Amino acid sequence: MDMADSAPSPLRQLPAVATLLASPQAVPLLEAHGRIATTDAIRAALEGARHALRSGAAAVPDIDALLVSARSQLEGRPASLRPVFNLTGTVLHTNLGRALLAEAAIAAATEAMRHPVALEYDLEEGARGERDDHVRELLRELTGAEDATLVNNNAAAVLLCLNTFALGHGAIVSRGELIEIGGAFRMPDIMARAGANMVEVGTTNRTHAADYRNAIDANTGLILKVHTSNYRIEGFTAEVSARDLAHMANTAGIPLLNDLGSGSLVDLSAYGVTREATVREAVAEGAHLVTFSGDKLLGGPQAGFIVGSRASIEAINRNPLKRALRVDKMRMAAIEATLRLYRDPDRLAERLPTLRFLARSRDDVAAQAGRLRDRVAAHLGETFRVEVGMCNSQVGSGALPLDTLPSAALQIHPNGSQRTLDELAAAWRGLPRPVIGRITDGALQLDLRCLDEADEHIFLSNLTGRA
Ligand SMILES: *Cc1c(COP(=O)(O)O)cnc(C)c1O
């Protein structure tokens, strides 16, 4: 683009960044958004104007127009981590942040953010206290264990237990339990990083007591039992119960670590999912250490619980890695509040969103889909067909992988529309509050199980970009 010197290029007529920043119109932007963000937005507005001029736009925008464009950028840029609608049908969706917290937990975390808290301070003695003191009694009461500690997540809990008891020693595990959890949690890799020597016993489908017994030697650090959270081995199978393994471990003078994965503090069969052993039952079976997640079926924030014998927990607390894996005050507050709710089991489903979502009946979800169908159809127009269809939700996060929860969905078919399903899904993700559904059977399926009735109006106003 060679311009004659006598005719100044329209590009050169654009004001400089400094000129725009110094203009009176920039003052409110600087006040609201600060210098760095405002400068970035002004640069972006100038870049947009240059692009428009190069592609043939005739008018050079003035300072007002450029700052209006900068302002819309500043105000329109949503936070990266922001609320979405989880209409995937997976209640505990790891990529969407798993459990939603109870109001009591949210309030407690907020207070802990706003005020100093007695995080490691004993208010009776006026002396240093322990972080775990805030939940120790509750966990003893709810699980029957002698002692308890908390770390960043269940992966950290397993890592810490292995490192405490099997650093440079053997950790015996069944070949049927060498799990991989989504992401990068693979039991053999965690064992290696914990410094434990993995001693595999048995076969994929069958492991016997003798397999464990024959593997125990003077260098054995612990026996590990892992809940095969996200798969089932069916057919010709055999596994050794935690109770038998605990006996064996006791005889050998080593601990049994039982990684429950999701772990639940109450019998969940009342909420429409398969009954699994509770943490209390796992403790009663005699495991020296039991680990489980905070943000799976328990319905709290991300955390890893380790409960077990006093001696085992003391050894864990002496491990220097504990410090690197501990939880912060916000989560500690949210966890304490969540655990307190378990003292009133009758009202859990009202208070814990995870249980509330799991417990919803298909009829309830279908009635909601019926309420919303016409509004969504009206919004989408003629070229889409919106139907209420039946579907199955799942628990998610590897918990109860074979359970399906009968549910209902809005199924959007791009009838006669030029838009493909991928484009349709992308458009829903592009809403002010992104809506995440699932493409299945030629439709975009929005399973409404996790849409609270109280949020329906936000869901609808969101469609018109007014959320
Ligand atoms: C989910 C899970 C983990 C990892 O727990 P996070 O809390 O996600 O770190 C470990 N073990 C088992 C068996 C699991 O199901």
Side-chain angles (χ1 to χ4, degrees):
M1 252 204 317
D2 223 346
M3 295 279 172
D5 284 353
S6 52
S9 145
L11 292 176
R12 296 236 178 89
Q13 294 172 38
L14 285 169
V17 174
T19 310
L20 289 164
L21 270 174
S23 70
Q25 299 96 308
V27 172
L29 297 188
L30 285 162
E31 262 171 26
H33 304 282
R35 181 160 294 273
I36 293 175
T38 305
T39 308
D40 279 355
I42 284 175
R43 286 217 172 92
L46 284 167
E47 190 47 49
R50 271 185 221 111
H51 184 81
L53 290 168
R54 280 196 208 102
S55 2
V60 178
D62 60 10
I63 289 184
D64 272 334
L66 286 164
L67 285 169
V68 164
S69 149
R71 192 181 77 203
S72 72
Q73 291 225 25
L74 284 165
E75 287 168 3
R77 188 179 300 164
S80 171
L81 186 61
R82 63 186 197 276
V84 302
F85 285 107
N86 171 15
L87 304 188
T88 60
T90 299
V91 176
L92 295 168
H93 199 301
T94 297
N95 305 138
L96 301 180
R98 292 190 181 164
L100 307 185
L101 298 204
E103 286 306 320
I106 295 167
T110 308
E111 288 286 275
M113 284 190 263
R114 193 170 280 139
H115 306 287
V117 287
L119 182 62
E120 292 182 347
Y121 188 78
D122 184 329
L123 290 170
E124 274 171 38
E125 304 290 329
R128 194 175 189 289
E130 265 185 59
R131 213 168 267 246
D132 290 332
D133 286 347
H134 301 290
V135 291
R136 182 175 277 123
E137 278 313 313
L138 275 165
L139 283 167
R140 283 162 46 112
E141 175 192 319
L142 294 167
T143 69
E146 282 175 12
D147 204 354
T149 185
L150 270 184
V151 286
N152 179 56
N153 57 10
N154 190 33
V158 173
L159 176 79
L160 187 58
C161 291
L162 287 168
N163 181 265
T164 304
F165 291 99
L167 178 62
H169 293 278
I172 301 176
V173 62
S174 160
R175 289 195 170 89
E177 297 175 1
L178 290 174
I179 56 164
E180 173 181 309
I181 307 286
F185 184 87
R186 293 177 130 198
M187 198 46 91
D189 298 342
I190 291 288
M191 288 186 140
R193 289 296 170 128
N197 307 322
M198 178 169 69
V199 179
E200 301 170 61
V201 297
T203 62
T204 304
N205 56 326
R206 288 170 72 83
T207 304
H208 307 283
D211 295 326
Y212 287 96
R213 214 177 293 117
N214 294 339
I216 296 176
D217 62 23
N219 193 43
T220 304
L222 60 64
I223 300 176
L224 170 64
K225 181 155 186 68
V226 189
H227 190 284
T228 55
S229 306
N230 49 7
Y231 65 98
R232 286 281 178 279
I233 296 177
E234 288 182 343
F236 186 52
T237 64
E239 68 170 313
V240 183
S241 71
R243 193 175 292 282
D244 290 347
L245 288 178
H247 274 302
M248 214 183 289
N250 269 333
T251 310
I254 52 173
L256 168 69
L257 163 60
N258 190 354
D259 172 17
L260 287 184
S262 183
S264 170
L265 296 174
V266 291
D267 175 3
L268 291 177
S269 54
Y271 306 100
V273 295
T274 306
R275 186 186 147 64
E276 288 218 326
T278 61
V279 177
R280 177 182 289 282
E281 284 159 354
V283 168
E285 281 165 351
H288 306 79
L289 293 161
V290 176
T291 68
F292 52 101
S293 292
D295 55 355
K296 293 185 181 172
L297 286 169
L298 195 141
Q302 180 187 303
F305 292 85
I306 310 175
V307 302
S309 71
R310 184 163 295 118
S312 305
I313 300 292
E314 272 169 11
I316 281 166
N317 283 331
R318 284 195 299 272
N319 186 334
L321 268 184
K322 167 77 195 295
R323 168 64 185 257
L325 303 173
R326 73 186 185 185
V327 301
D328 62 281
K329 61 182 176 180
M330 293 174 257
R331 279 196 281 163
M332 189 58 89
I335 289 163
E336 183 189 351
T338 306
L339 292 177
R340 277 165 177 263
L341 299 179
Y342 278 91
R343 305 186 78 191
D344 185 2
D346 299 339
R347 280 192 285 175
L348 267 182
E350 271 166 50
R351 294 167 163 178
L352 280 179
T354 299
L355 292 191
R356 189 164 73 233
F357 293 148
L358 288 177
R360 284 186 73 187
S361 69
R362 172 176 272 167
D363 283 351
D364 183 39
V365 186
Q368 181 180 33
R371 278 200 298 280
L372 295 175
R373 196 208 76 91
D374 287 355
R375 304 280 297 275
V376 172
H379 170 74
L380 288 172
E382 302 272 288
T383 47
F384 293 93
R385 186 161 47 85
V386 183
E387 285 172 358
V388 174
M390 299 305 134
C391 64
N392 288 305
S393 320
Q394 33 184 353
V395 180
S397 283
L400 304 160
L402 304 185
D403 272 35
T404 49
L405 311 164
S407 191
L410 292 173
Q411 290 165 343
I412 306 172
H413 302 263
N415 253 1
S417 158
Q418 294 307 305
R419 282 215 267 181
T420 64
L421 279 172
D422 285 337
E423 285 166 341
L424 179 63
W428 282 81
R429 288 197 307 274
L431 289 169
R433 184 179 295 197
V435 176
I436 322 283
R438 213 159 67 81
I439 293 175
T440 175
D441 298 333
L444 175 64
Q445 176 168 289
L446 307 177
D447 181 334
L448 300 182
R449 172 171 299 278
C450 297
L451 180 65
D452 264 325
E453 199 178 324
D455 288 338
E456 282 176 17
H457 70 283
I458 305 179
F459 175 78
L460 289 169
S461 59
N462 186 46
L463 291 181
T464 49
R466 286 185 287 106

